[in-house]
Amino acid sequence: MSWSAAGSWFKSHVTLHNLYRLFLGQVVSFVLALMSFTSSLIASLGVDAPITQSSFTYLTLAVVYGSILLYRGQKLRIPWYWYLALGFVDVQGNYLVNKAFQFSSITSVTLLDCWTVVWAIILTYIFIGTRYSLWQLFGAALCVLGLGLVLLSDAGVGGGDGSKPLLGDALVISGTLFFAMSNVGEEFCVKKKDRVEVISMLGLFGMLVSGVELSIFELRSLESVTWSTDIMLAGIGYTLSGFMFYTITPFVLKLSGATMFNLSLLTSDMWAVVVRILFYQQQAG
């Protein structure tokens, strides 16, 4: 093989690899849009139980991937307490973002999700040693500027939707910090250890943390819910989309890292609009 032919093969291989990363990133972004839509739908149906709706996703992950782990019969490669910490921060992120749908619009929540990019850059720089170019930092700064406009809109400058939009925005931004911590921790784990172990332990400890917290904070809310077919279908939709999200996420984190993973999720706002249009058109028909 000549040097020119080898160079062409290498370039095509790199191109295919990059296209594969972009494709996986957009699949995760679309699934995140489904999660946001179903979570918003659950809130609009009068259900205020963000921990409970996430707990079913963790349960599904624990059952499916835990079964694979038990079949292998292997010991944990990472101490359990690290998985407990990972599960804890992930549960808090899900709780805060899902809770935000009670007070703010799906548009504001999905846009402010982008704060995860900022936190991911800071955390990967500190803990993993990732270095970023000036252009990458400039892009992150533009992201923050755009998010500032969302906050101004919700503060009343442009008129925000929701009962308490600023509270909803604060919950989302707080949730993104926990999500960034979860993403960076998961990136470290999947790059060093086994993907199945990471997902199964995240599911197990996420389920345990969710169970403790919902027994303390959400029992009254659950007792007041008038269960209907729509609520159950929305809950199933959230659980399935959450399962897909956590299944695909480790692939993207291993290939691209936490920052690029969260940059891929910026298009979830576009996908959320598409999902809403398709859903409401079908509902109207």
Side-chain angles (χ1 to χ4, degrees):
M1 181 182 292
S2 65
W3 285 109
S4 59
S8 299
W9 177 87
F10 178 76
K11 287 181 180 179
S12 63
H13 179 73
V14 171
T15 301
L16 288 174
H17 181 71
N18 288 334
L19 288 175
Y20 178 65
R21 289 195 302 174
L22 287 173
F23 172 74
L24 280 183
Q26 290 314 297
V27 171
V28 175
S29 182
F30 176 72
V31 172
L32 179 62
L34 289 177
M35 290 179 68
S36 298
F37 174 75
T38 49
S39 185
S40 176
L41 185 59
I42 291 170
S44 67
L45 292 170
V47 180
D48 184 10
I51 301 175
T52 303
Q53 70 186 61
S54 297
S55 65
F56 286 104
T57 297
Y58 293 123
L59 173 62
T60 308
L61 292 170
V63 170
V64 174
Y65 288 98
S67 299
I68 299 173
L69 198 64
L70 288 174
Y71 177 76
R72 290 178 176 178
Q74 68 184 45
K75 294 182 179 180
L76 293 181
R77 301 178 182 179
I78 297 177
W80 64 268
Y81 46 83
W82 289 114
Y83 287 127
L84 174 59
L86 185 63
F88 177 80
V89 296
D90 199 75
V91 169
Q92 309 320 306
N94 274 315
Y95 167 74
L96 291 168
V97 172
N98 288 331
K99 186 70 175 179
F101 285 107
Q102 302 288 333
F103 306 105
S104 194
S105 67
I106 184 175
T107 303
S108 293
V109 173
T110 52
L111 283 172
L112 289 170
D113 261 345
C114 303
W115 268 101
T116 313
V117 175
V118 180
W119 299 127
I121 288 176
I122 296 171
L123 292 175
T124 51
Y125 178 82
I126 295 172
F127 295 105
I128 299 182
T130 306
R131 295 295 180 264
Y132 299 97
S133 67
L134 288 176
W135 283 111
Q136 289 172 314
L137 296 176
F138 177 70
L142 286 179
C143 174
V144 173
L145 178 62
L147 300 178
L149 295 177
V150 175
L151 290 174
L152 286 175
S153 173
D154 285 347
V157 176
D161 297 327
S163 58
K164 297 178 181 177
L166 280 181
L167 175 59
D169 294 349
L171 290 172
V172 176
I173 293 173
S174 301
T176 58
L177 175 58
F178 284 103
F179 273 143
M181 293 167 64
S182 176
N183 292 158
V184 173
E186 197 173 344
E187 176 191 349
F188 176 81
C189 291
V190 297
K191 284 187 174 180
K192 302 294 182 181
K193 306 298 178 182
D194 182 48
R195 181 180 64 88
V196 172
E197 177 182 305
V198 174
I199 301 175
S200 61
M201 290 298 103
L202 177 60
L204 175 62
F205 287 105
M207 180 184 65
L208 294 176
V209 172
S210 296
V212 172
E213 293 190 0
L214 74 86
S215 66
I216 298 172
F217 300 112
E218 287 189 358
L219 283 183
R220 288 188 178 181
S221 296
L222 290 174
E223 290 172 356
S224 64
V225 174
T226 303
W227 297 98
S228 65
T229 303
D230 288 342
I231 293 175
M232 295 178 67
L233 288 175
I236 292 172
Y238 181 85
T239 300
L240 292 177
S241 56
F243 179 83
M244 292 172 61
F245 179 82
Y246 283 100
T247 296
I248 304 172
T249 291
F251 288 104
V252 185
L253 287 173
K254 189 169 186 176
L255 290 171
S256 305
T259 301
M260 290 305 298
F261 166 74
N262 285 289
L263 284 172
S264 298
L265 299 185
L266 294 180
T267 55
S268 64
D269 311 322
M270 175 195 72
W271 291 121
V273 173
V274 173
V275 169
R276 281 199 295 173
I277 291 173
L278 292 175
F279 177 81
Y280 287 116
Q281 274 188 348
Q282 183 178 10
Q283 192 180 55

